[in-house]
Amino acid sequence: MPNTGSPSPDPSGQPACVEHVGAGLPRDQVGLPLWLLAELTYRCPLQCPYCSNPLDFAQQGKELSTEQWFKVMAEAREMGAAQIGFSGGEPLVRQDLAELIGEARRLGYYTNLITSGIGLTEQKIAAFKHAGLDHIQISFQASDEQVNNLLAGSKKAFAQKLEMARAVKAHGYPMVLNFVTHRHNIDKIDRIIELCIALEADFVELATCQFYGWAHLNRLGLLPTREQLERAERVTNEYRAKLKAEGHPCKLIFVTPDYYEERPKACMNGWGSLFLTITPDGTALPCHGARQLPVQFPNVRDHDLQHIWYDSFGFNRFRGFDWMPEPCRSCDEKEKDFGGCRCQAFMLTGDASKADPVCAKSPDHGIILKAREEAEHATLEIEQMTFRNERNAHVIARG
Amino acid sequence: MSLDRQQVPAWRPGYRFQYEPAQKGHVLLYPEGMIKLNESASLIGGLIDGQRSVAQIITDLEQQFPGVPEVADDIEQFMEVARAEHWITLA
Ligand code: SF4
Ligand code: SF4
């Protein structure tokens, strides 16, 4: 449907039919899209086994142009978006990245660049600063081999990252270092934390990989055991206490995989209530994993963001609580977790509207119990993972 | 750590204070996060510029709000919280 014309949502002046088109909540009950995630490209020099990009990324459509991104950014800003994250794939492969950053900053966004650091140079760091970039997050999402070299103290790998991290800090950026942890590196979490502190990170995200996209396929090779996880959390807490006692500004953020929880996470703070993701080809999603769902999502080439956020079918599909079947429907915790993650429910049960199986009240919770059990005994899969890593390592070595 | 009123507060590098029309209020933006500030925090935040000392901020706001005795306390409290959260540096 074409846009309703008015930038300020005022349902009173509109014909009665407009209300039905949305089939969603009244606009004043819908949160603002404060967070815009701009996935600029699916191109990426790496092939991480835990990549959260869609499995069929090679078949996705054409990338949005610079002007199309300008329009998206302006519309979202008008609607309240204050944070913008440039990610991918690897956003550094977009030749117009500095231009996009500049426009975002001009519009008043807090601009975040989320990069693997592959392809980052001191020159680019300076150019982005000049364009108005506020913050750089470096994700240590490279192959396990590279991270392992780093953790084992490989001078070369360390020197590269160190140089880049120093340049980031020297140009006055705050720096977030993001480490994806999994069963093969989580036992070295103390080394990871030490490394981040040495690099003067302002924030350190220790994120146990979440099981979407590629990570779901590789779950057996990635999911840590409960014991591993508990130890890692304990070590993290010890470092937190130490940093706090020193008045050190570095903040450690520990993200556990929800496979070991009894209640699901409040995914995206509720469907279509805070986050707006635009994929490289312009598809708008309420969460970066949502593309895999059997739900039709709008595209910024066809509609403006007012329509997309407030009226489109996709953004209203799981808004509010009316869509919920049991046990969520009559559950007194539904306002806390919104029934959990729709993508996880779909991936594990084949039905996106079911309770997230992480919930102990879900009839499908057995799937999670089985995965935990398998994590205790997984060995075979490690070899397959290692094979992948070697190949990845070659790619990096050549780059 | 007590607060020295001669110290000058500055936002931590990478932290930005700004008005958000859509939220009808001031926010503090930082890497991947945002804090919505209440009215008094917004007034104080608006005077943090890396130049004014805490004492000057107190004088400014006391002039703006004569007859409000809590102004100085509020400002000190804000500075202490903001420092503990590492939103500002005091130098
Ligand atoms: S760096 Fe890895 S996780 Fe990130 S987009 Fe590339 S392949 Fe996927
Ligand atoms: S039953 Fe549904 S709403 Fe209740 S706690 Fe579980 S996932 Fe959340």
Side-chain angles (χ1 to χ4, degrees):
Chain A
M1 107 153 208
N3 82 71
T4 44
S6 160
S8 56
D10 175 21
S12 55
Q14 287 169 350
C17 66
V18 173
E19 278 192 5
H20 298 292
V21 175
L25 299 174
R27 287 190 173 197
D28 58 3
Q29 286 175 35
V30 174
L32 301 175
L34 298 178
W35 238 110
L36 175 62
L37 182 66
E39 293 186 335
L40 297 179
T41 178
Y42 283 136
R43 287 174 286 156
C44 172
L46 304 177
Q47 298 170 22
C48 306
Y50 39 75
C51 179
S52 65
N53 280 345
L55 298 176
D56 61 347
F57 72 91
Q59 286 143 47
Q60 308 289 339
K62 222 171 140 249
E63 287 181 11
L64 293 181
S65 67
T66 311
E67 285 67 34
Q68 284 168 320
W69 277 115
F70 281 7
K71 179 167 173 284
V72 165
M73 294 193 295
E75 287 177 4
R77 180 77 189 121
E78 176 86 9
M79 291 164 66
Q83 288 276 359
I84 188 168
F86 293 107
S87 84
E90 176 46 68
L92 290 173
V93 306
R94 280 284 297 219
Q95 297 304 311
D96 56 356
L97 183 54
E99 233 179 305
L100 294 172
I101 291 168
E103 176 65 3
R105 183 60 191 267
R106 191 188 69 77
L107 290 165
Y109 281 101
Y110 191 91
T111 52
N112 304 273
L113 173 63
I114 301 160
T115 171
S116 69
I118 307 281
L120 195 58
T121 59
E122 171 125 34
Q123 206 184 356
K124 281 188 186 169
I125 291 172
F128 295 156
K129 185 79 195 180
H130 184 71
L133 183 62
D134 288 297
H135 148 238
I136 298 181
Q137 173 183 314
I138 300 174
S139 298
F140 285 69
Q141 296 209 354
S143 76
D144 299 328
E145 210 67 28
Q146 199 198 21
V147 171
N148 283 342
N149 286 344
L150 216 55
L151 295 177
S154 152
K155 290 228 168 58
K156 191 157 167 271
F158 184 73
Q160 282 165 354
K161 289 277 183 191
L162 187 68
E163 194 190 344
M164 216 165 40
R166 282 213 183 112
V168 167
K169 293 294 290 189
H171 284 85
Y173 290 104
M175 182 168 68
V176 176
L177 294 180
N178 173 290
F179 263 93
V180 176
T181 63
H182 45 72
R183 62 186 291 133
H184 305 304
N185 67 11
I186 197 165
D187 293 333
K188 294 179 192 140
I189 198 151
D190 48 341
R191 278 286 297 142
I192 296 178
I193 294 172
E194 294 276 354
L195 183 66
C196 294
I197 295 173
L199 295 176
E200 291 179 53
D202 295 273
F203 296 85
V204 178
E205 283 175 13
L206 303 158
T208 335
C209 59
Q210 305 285 330
F211 296 99
Y212 306 115
W214 291 96
H216 182 54
L217 286 186
N218 284 314
R219 196 201 71 222
L220 277 174
L222 296 168
L223 185 64
T225 65
R226 185 186 287 275
E227 206 192 327
Q228 284 184 299
L229 198 68
E230 282 170 357
R231 183 186 165 274
E233 203 160 5
R234 197 173 59 237
V235 171
T236 305
N237 283 333
E238 284 163 15
Y239 273 99
R240 277 185 184 140
K242 201 171 137 222
L243 291 168
K244 187 149 188 241
E246 292 170 12
H248 198 294
C250 178
K251 190 167 170 194
L252 305 179
I253 300 157
F254 190 83
V255 186
T256 61
D258 53 5
Y259 271 58
Y260 289 103
E261 308 284 342
E262 299 304 314
R263 291 288 179 273
K265 57 181 183 283
C267 193
M268 299 289 124
N269 199 39
W271 187 266
S273 81
L274 184 63
F275 287 95
L276 171 61
T277 295
I278 308 294
T279 67
D281 73 358
T283 306
L285 303 173
C287 133
H288 64 275
R291 184 169 216 156
Q292 61 177 306
L293 299 176
V295 174
Q296 215 198 330
F297 290 106
N299 191 296
V300 298
R301 296 175 205 259
D302 310 320
H303 301 284
D304 71 2
L305 286 181
Q306 284 279 339
H307 166 80
I308 287 173
W309 184 257
Y310 291 105
D311 303 327
S312 73
F313 171 78
F315 276 75
N316 282 297
R317 178 66 184 86
F318 298 113
R319 240 184 207 145
F321 304 99
D322 287 349
W323 57 271
M324 288 179 169
E326 293 296 345
C328 298
R329 176 172 281 273
S330 57
C331 177
D332 59 4
E333 294 177 73
K334 66 184 172 203
E335 291 180 29
K336 244 193 297 184
D337 63 35
F338 314 103
C341 173
R342 295 304 89 223
C343 302
Q344 189 146 276
F346 176 69
M347 232 161 29
L348 297 178
T349 75
D351 180 350
S353 62
K354 281 188 154 182
D356 186 332
V358 162
C359 182
K361 296 183 191 178
S362 152
D364 303 298
H365 189 56
I367 299 169
I368 298 291
L369 298 179
K370 185 158 168 275
R372 289 182 198 167
E373 177 65 27
E374 282 167 356
E376 298 295 331
H377 308 293
T379 45
L380 233 183
E381 305 293 319
I382 293 171
E383 279 144 42
Q384 293 170 7
M385 295 279 303
T386 311
F387 180 69
R388 241 179 211 275
N389 296 342
E390 272 167 43
R391 214 187 49 195
N392 273 345
H394 289 308
V395 174
I396 291 162
R398 262 190 274 124
Chain B
M1 286 193 287
S2 74
L3 194 77
D4 173 358
R5 290 195 181 183
Q6 294 317 311
Q7 285 188 312
V8 175
W11 297 112
R12 179 172 168 191
Y15 282 56
R16 195 158 88 228
F17 169 85
Q18 74 182 29
Y19 183 73
E20 281 299 295
Q23 296 179 63
K24 300 186 185 67
H26 286 86
V27 298
L28 183 61
L29 294 158
Y30 56 94
E32 294 169 30
M34 171 161 55
I35 295 154
K36 178 111 196 265
L37 299 171
N38 64 23
E39 222 172 302
S40 50
S42 299
L43 286 167
I44 301 165
L47 295 174
I48 293 178
D49 57 2
Q51 310 283 328
R52 290 185 182 85
S53 66
V54 176
Q56 281 168 306
I57 292 175
I58 292 174
T59 313
D60 276 16
L61 287 179
E62 274 175 347
Q63 274 167 8
Q64 235 179 301
F65 300 94
V68 182
E70 315 82 67
V71 168
D73 275 357
D74 282 0
I75 294 171
E76 285 203 342
Q77 215 177 23
F78 175 89
M79 295 296 166
E80 263 157 21
V81 170
R83 178 173 60 184
E85 298 285 340
H86 301 286
W87 299 339
I88 58 169
T89 53
L90 283 165

